[in-house]
Amino acid sequence: MGKLKDRYIRFDWAIKRLLRDKANFAVLEGLLTVLFEDKTQIVEILESEGNQLAETDKFNRVDIKAKNSKGEIILVEVQNTREVYYLERILYGVAKTITEHISLGESYGNIKKVYSISIVYFDLGKGNDYLYHGQNRFIGVHTSDELQISTKQENAILPKYPREIFPEYYIIRVNEFDKVAKTPLEEWVNYLKTGEIEPDTKVPGLSEAREKLKYYSMAPAERYAYDEHLNAIMIQNDVLSTAKLEGLTEGRSKGLAEGRAEGLAEGRAEGLAEGRAEGILSTARNLKAMGLSIEDISRATGLSKEDIVKL
């Protein structure tokens, strides 16, 4: 019997289960190194108090919070389905991170710069690029020059741009990537989209991913949950596309397409076509019977934890 061809676990699954393990840090460090064009080493994965609050806390959606060698905080978040007020939620997460990591009475000079990286697998909006970068720049209304602030560091007065202090945002729109991967960043985005890795890749992080994220290294139950996770994403995307099409062709987008899109964004079965919804519910029941945790089932199917408990 021939050897099974290597398949690799997609990043959106790996980041929730495997990349928090220190032995696998090199994969995530590779992505950050390529994105920042600067060798980045994770010092630790931070456990924020926000991640320990109730399930209703809006901040629970951040997948990984890391700190680089400069002490700067990096948020890495993966989102598979549309969510209302998505940009507002990113802003909330960054603001909460800043306040969590400075003690009451501590000098504002100890505030750490925060980088927010969002990897989205859905249609976020209009735009021709797959990677967008946002910074805070203060530009003269009449002169168009960029404001510099004088700051005191090590007994010297030095100029500093506000963008060096304020958070930076990266949004990777995975589904918009349709190029032949030639650069390290393009190879990474291709992997984020397809789960494919070139056998001879030398790109930081991807060579480690080829060894650590092999599909056939997973236990059978884990492989089943992963496959159902991919199926659920495909169904959700298909239903969302169908809802949009029906809204355009039948003039019912407000009542139909938006209702379905919002239902999908909340990860609930409501809003799905009846047959597809029952398929996801059936999958969730099977995973529950196999003994998988409520959290794992939620990640695999897109259903809320509350809906899974009721099954």
Side-chain angles (χ1 to χ4, degrees), residues 224 228 279-292 297 301 311:
Y224 179 80
E228 291 303 318
I280 290 181
L281 291 172
S282 177
T283 296
R285 291 190 192 98
N286 290 338
L287 295 176
K288 196 173 181 182
M290 291 170 63
L292 268 73
I297 297 171
T301 64
L311 293 176

Side-chain angles (χ1 to χ4, degrees), residues 62-235:
V62 172
D63 293 314
I64 281 187
K65 182 188 293 185
K67 188 190 292 183
N68 67 17
S69 57
K70 300 175 186 176
E72 297 169 333
I73 298 170
I74 303 171
L75 305 179
V76 183
E77 179 180 271
V78 174
Q79 183 74 356
N80 274 305
T81 54
R82 177 179 295 280
E83 180 166 320
V84 180
Y85 306 125
Y86 183 67
L87 293 179
E88 289 84 350
R89 186 167 62 73
I90 293 175
L91 177 62
Y92 176 83
V94 168
K96 191 163 186 179
T97 297
I98 292 171
T99 57
E100 279 183 359
H101 293 283
I102 185 168
S103 302
L104 186 64
E106 195 173 353
S107 168
Y108 288 127
N110 293 325
I111 290 178
K112 301 298 184 184
K113 185 177 177 69
V114 175
Y115 297 86
S116 170
I117 304 169
S118 296
I119 303 171
V120 296
Y121 286 81
F122 61 89
D123 180 14
L124 183 64
K126 292 184 178 180
N128 297 322
D129 209 331
Y130 62 87
L131 176 63
Y132 285 84
H133 177 212
Q135 290 180 313
N136 286 85
R137 295 172 182 261
F138 291 75
I139 306 299
V141 174
H142 303 100
T143 60
S144 299
D145 66 315
E146 185 173 359
L147 178 67
Q148 280 189 328
I149 304 294
S150 297
T151 62
K152 185 176 181 180
Q153 290 183 334
E154 298 179 357
N155 298 319
I157 302 298
L158 300 174
K160 180 175 287 188
Y161 289 105
R163 57 182 158 83
E164 298 176 59
I165 302 170
F166 281 76
E168 292 187 33
Y169 303 85
Y170 290 84
I171 296 179
I172 303 175
R173 303 165 74 225
V174 172
N175 293 336
E176 298 303 314
F177 181 77
D178 58 0
K179 303 168 64 175
V180 175
K182 296 180 179 179
T183 67
L185 179 60
E186 289 171 350
E187 280 198 47
W188 250 105
V189 178
N190 184 64
Y191 163 64
L192 294 176
K193 180 177 181 178
T194 66
E196 298 173 359
I197 303 175
E198 293 297 324
D200 57 349
T201 187
K202 299 294 189 296
V203 173
L206 291 183
S207 54
E208 289 84 357
R210 290 189 73 248
E211 298 302 317
K212 298 176 181 294
L213 303 183
K214 289 182 178 178
Y215 171 81
Y216 291 107
S217 294
M218 288 193 290
E222 183 80 355
R223 281 208 306 268
Y224 179 80
Y226 174 70
D227 290 339
E228 291 303 318
H229 163 73
L230 297 184
N231 289 337
I233 291 171
M234 291 175 63
I235 290 170

Side-chain angles (χ1 to χ4, degrees), residues 257-282:
E258 289 184 6
R260 287 181 180 171
E262 289 180 9
L264 289 170
E266 295 297 327
R268 299 190 302 264
E270 297 89 358
L272 292 171
E274 290 183 5
R276 293 190 176 101
E278 183 54 39
I280 290 181
L281 291 172
S282 177

